[in-house]
Amino acid sequence: MTMIGIARRNWALRLSVVLNVCVLLYVCVHFGSSGPWIEEQPANWVSPLGEAFKGTELTPNVSLTEGSKVGSTKETRIATTKETVNEKTTKENKSGVGDGGKNGNTNTTQKQEAIGTSSGLMTLEEAIPCNDKSTAPKTAQRGEYWVLYNYIPMSTQVKCWESVTYTTHADYTFLDNLIPLIERWQAPVSIALYAPGTDFQPTIDAIKWLRTCGSPLISQLVTFHVFFSNKHIPKSVPSSEKLASEGWNCSLHAPWTNLTISKMYKSEKKLLYPVNVGRNIAREWAPTHYVLPSDIELYPSPELAPKFLEMIRRRDQQPLYKPNPKVFPLSLFEVSADSQVPTNKTQLIRMLKAGTAIPFHKKVCAGCHNVPRSKEWQEARETEGLHVFHVGKRTGAFVHWEPIFIGTNNDPLYDERLSWEGKSDKMTQGYTLCVLDYDFLILDNAFMVHKPGIKVYKKDAVREMLSGKTNALIKKIIVPELKVLYGTRKGCAV
Ligand SMILES: *[C@@H]1O[C@H](CO)[C@@H](O)[C@H](O)[C@H]1NC(C)=O
Ligand SMILES: *[C@@H]1O[C@H](CO)[C@@H](O)[C@H](O)[C@H]1NC(C)=O
Ligand SMILES: *[C@@H]1O[C@H](CO)[C@@H](O)[C@H](O)[C@H]1NC(C)=O
């Protein structure tokens, strides 16, 4: 008995020595040289920016089955280290860091990279590992809906790391917003249009009007997707090529002017607006890694996309390195109907003081859009560029927060059973973000402003009824599902 005991202890001792050596080697490989360590960080932290779980793969949490995984991670790292050392002489085999498909365009990016690395920084392409997406039109089913994905694609080619896509949804009556929106955003837009039955034709006309008579940025930067239920198919659907080649007589007015909403197909058939189907289509088919899923009446502050990407490329802020998954919420405001939309934070602050601007939905649902540290945010003066102002959580006073944020397609989607009329359509996503322990990195100089006109609460019996039904659906069906799928976390609520 004792002999076996001693043998066991010896064996355990030896094993622990071996393990220690392994850990030491692992540590040496990582911290051995300061330069390559800095170079390597993107693999480590850029992914958790969006990909909720990627970070855990890199933790040397050695269980027997994971041994091989850790080993292979180590190999990748050594390869990167070598590569960085030899960087000045050769730059051929540039893949490796968790991103297989990026070998194609070494030539064009070589110069950029050299600039980036010589200053100890990385290029945007290095900072955002992603795969480009096709913009080819595709017709496909999605639950009970037919979707014309990329029905009218934007004409500009964009790399997935190159910009941020504003993703949104609408029916054609909201498309007047697209012109002020694109003029402020000046980056890709992916929009899903709900066009059942006879609403399809005016939707097509509206797209043609915008592309022909609106801003030239529309055809350059906006991709239109169209969807309708299989119970409400339009009479005919022209091909993408035919549509893209057709113009519009600009002396005719746009289809959304002098409109009688009650005459719309959607109204006559009493159809609910499937807001989250549209949200998900637009987000999933965005051409870029970073997306800003939003509602079309919310106009972002100018130069938000390039400033955001510059912040990501710089990676000089502590909150960006935390292992939690992250999104970047924006502060939202409304301005009075006779006001101009402010073009910078300085102007916004002045309007807040004068009372011509107020926090979004202050008079409808303050709890839904109240952003952590909003008072301090409003007091902080505008600075150059973009930074993380505060890291918030969707707990405590913010437990019902429906944030609008820059994120990626790794974030949870929106529940497609919820309609716009039923309200609370972003609540279950917010809840899931909370359970997954997301950090909400609030940005300092960026904001969004609703199309001018301050919303006041109006009683609407039909919406009250639908909202009651939705709350029951969320409570009885959706939340129990989410508990099975994601577990629970203290402090999170729908
Ligand atoms: C455009 O519409 C106007 C007004 O209806 C009409 O007078 C004009 O002839 C049209 N132009 C063309 C090229 O069809
Ligand atoms: C739209 O309505 C306005 C006001 O009722 C009217 O002045 C205008 O002529 C109408 N425009 C068209 C194109 O019908
Ligand atoms: C903000 O916008 C206003 C109005 O366009 C302009 O006068 C002002 O110089 C801008 N301020 C900054 C800090 O950019």
Side-chain angles (χ1 to χ4, degrees):
M1 284 296 280
T2 45
M3 285 293 282
I4 296 169
I6 289 165
R8 251 187 215 160
R9 225 174 296 150
N10 272 341
W11 182 80
L13 191 69
R14 261 180 240 155
L15 183 71
S16 91
V17 167
V18 168
L19 276 177
N20 276 333
V21 169
C22 285
V23 170
L24 252 174
L25 273 174
Y26 186 84
V27 169
C28 287
V29 168
H30 281 74
F31 296 95
S33 44
S34 56
W37 169 241
I38 290 168
E39 287 298 323
E40 267 174 29
Q41 284 202 4
N44 236 348
W45 75 268
V46 165
S47 46
L49 276 176
E51 292 164 46
F53 307 109
K54 201 161 178 183
T56 54
E57 232 174 68
L58 299 170
T59 321
N61 180 7
V62 190
S63 77
L64 281 178
T65 48
E66 269 185 16
S68 59
K69 203 187 252 176
V70 172
S72 65
T73 315
K74 203 194 285 183
E75 268 165 36
T76 319
R77 289 177 172 268
I78 295 165
T80 339
T81 314
K82 267 196 209 138
E83 186 195 297
T84 333
V85 171
N86 297 336
E87 198 160 47
K88 288 188 184 81
T89 48
T90 167
K91 231 178 189 292
E92 286 166 23
N93 202 358
K94 241 216 129 270
S95 57
V97 196
D99 199 335
K102 283 211 314 188
N103 261 338
N105 43 12
T106 345
N107 280 343
T108 48
T109 52
Q110 215 156 352
K111 206 166 78 194
Q112 272 180 309
E113 275 165 5
I115 297 165
T117 47
S118 68
S119 60
L121 293 169
M122 38 170 38
T123 64
L124 201 50
E125 185 178 7
E126 290 169 311
I128 305 177
C130 56
N131 297 312
D132 288 335
K133 281 197 214 155
S134 165
T135 55
K138 180 178 169 176
T139 301
Q141 281 178 294
R142 184 183 186 107
E144 64 168 286
Y145 297 95
W146 278 102
V147 189
L148 313 172
Y149 293 105
N150 291 333
Y151 191 36
I152 310 280
M154 64 186 213
S155 63
T156 312
Q157 294 284 322
V158 63
K159 298 277 178 200
C160 58
W161 46 268
E162 218 170 18
S163 193
V164 180
T165 305
Y166 182 106
T167 73
T168 193
H169 58 90
D171 64 38
Y172 72 94
T173 66
F174 281 83
L175 284 177
D176 55 325
N177 290 292
L178 210 46
I179 294 168
L181 173 66
I182 198 68
E183 274 165 4
R184 286 169 75 90
W185 181 241
Q186 308 238 350
V189 170
S190 168
I191 180 169
L193 295 172
Y194 180 52
T198 54
D199 287 345
F200 185 77
Q201 191 53 50
T203 304
I204 298 306
D205 293 344
I207 296 174
K208 285 193 207 164
W209 187 94
L210 285 162
R211 286 167 56 93
T212 317
C213 323
S215 160
L217 292 174
I218 302 264
S219 52
Q220 287 163 21
L221 292 170
V222 182
T223 294
F224 296 91
H225 321 276
V226 176
F227 70 106
F228 37 78
S229 156
N230 56 24
K231 296 184 196 77
H232 302 279
I233 302 268
K235 278 230 159 57
S236 74
V237 174
S239 73
S240 291
E241 297 76 36
K242 183 164 180 292
L243 261 189
S245 67
E246 284 170 0
W248 185 259
N249 181 348
C250 291
S251 55
L252 301 174
H253 59 88
W256 55 77
T257 48
N258 287 9
L259 187 82
T260 318
I261 300 277
S262 61
K263 291 268 161 61
M264 285 174 71
Y265 182 89
K266 169 174 156 270
S267 313
E268 285 186 334
K269 301 282 176 188
K270 298 194 167 58
L271 302 179
L272 296 183
Y273 178 64
V275 56
N276 286 346
V277 178
R279 281 201 179 110
N280 289 346
I281 292 169
R283 202 188 88 174
E284 288 186 321
W285 286 68
T288 58
H289 181 69
Y290 282 107
V291 289
L292 169 50
S294 179
D295 293 332
I296 194 168
E297 290 181 305
L298 289 170
Y299 308 155
S301 49
E303 288 181 76
L304 176 49
K307 284 180 178 171
F308 174 80
L309 293 172
E310 175 55 19
M311 182 189 81
I312 294 298
R313 193 193 63 79
R314 247 179 16 234
R315 349 164 263 146
D316 55 357
Q317 297 173 90
Q318 209 51 47
L320 296 172
Y321 288 85
K322 284 179 67 183
N324 301 53
K326 297 163 180 60
V327 289
F328 301 85
L330 299 166
S331 303
L332 311 179
F333 299 90
E334 290 177 78
V335 296
S336 58
D338 54 356
S339 298
Q340 295 283 310
V341 179
T343 54
N344 55 40
K345 190 177 174 186
T346 309
Q347 217 183 355
L348 171 68
I349 291 173
R350 206 174 305 133
M351 291 175 72
L352 285 164
K353 286 193 178 132
T356 49
I358 60 167
F360 188 62
H361 279 192
K362 194 180 175 183
K363 301 187 175 169
V364 183
C365 178
C368 307
H369 295 283
N370 195 12
V371 177
R373 298 276 167 96
S374 56
K375 193 163 166 282
E376 290 85 346
W377 190 95
Q378 289 173 36
E379 280 161 5
R381 292 179 54 173
E382 182 174 7
T383 52
E384 274 293 309
L386 212 53
H387 315 85
V388 177
F389 180 76
H390 172 66
V391 180
K393 289 282 184 184
R394 191 182 180 272
T395 52
F398 307 98
V399 75
H400 300 303
W401 187 19
E402 290 192 300
I404 291 196
F405 51 79
I406 297 179
T408 73
N409 265 310
N410 300 308
D411 305 325
L413 284 164
Y414 304 89
D415 196 299
E416 299 193 3
R417 287 165 290 187
L418 303 178
S419 69
W420 178 81
E421 288 83 357
K423 302 185 182 171
S424 308
D425 46 51
K426 291 196 287 286
M427 283 296 177
T428 60
Q429 188 212 39
Y431 171 75
T432 309
L433 295 174
C434 180
V435 174
L436 294 174
D437 205 15
Y438 265 69
D439 279 345
F440 295 84
L441 276 53
I442 296 151
L443 299 171
D444 61 353
N445 297 312
F447 58 89
M448 298 225 274
V449 178
H450 193 271
K451 173 186 180 173
I454 289 175
K455 218 180 216 171
V456 289
Y457 179 76
K458 275 192 239 129
K459 207 165 165 57
D460 177 338
V462 176
R463 276 197 85 180
E464 295 302 315
M465 184 271 291
L466 288 167
S467 139
K469 277 191 179 174
T470 296
N471 289 341
L473 170 69
I474 290 177
K475 226 168 114 186
K476 296 211 180 87
I477 311 265
I478 300 178
V479 170
E481 286 175 8
L482 295 177
K483 283 187 174 156
V484 171
L485 292 164
Y486 297 103
T488 54
R489 180 177 298 276
K490 202 161 164 276
C492 298
V494 175

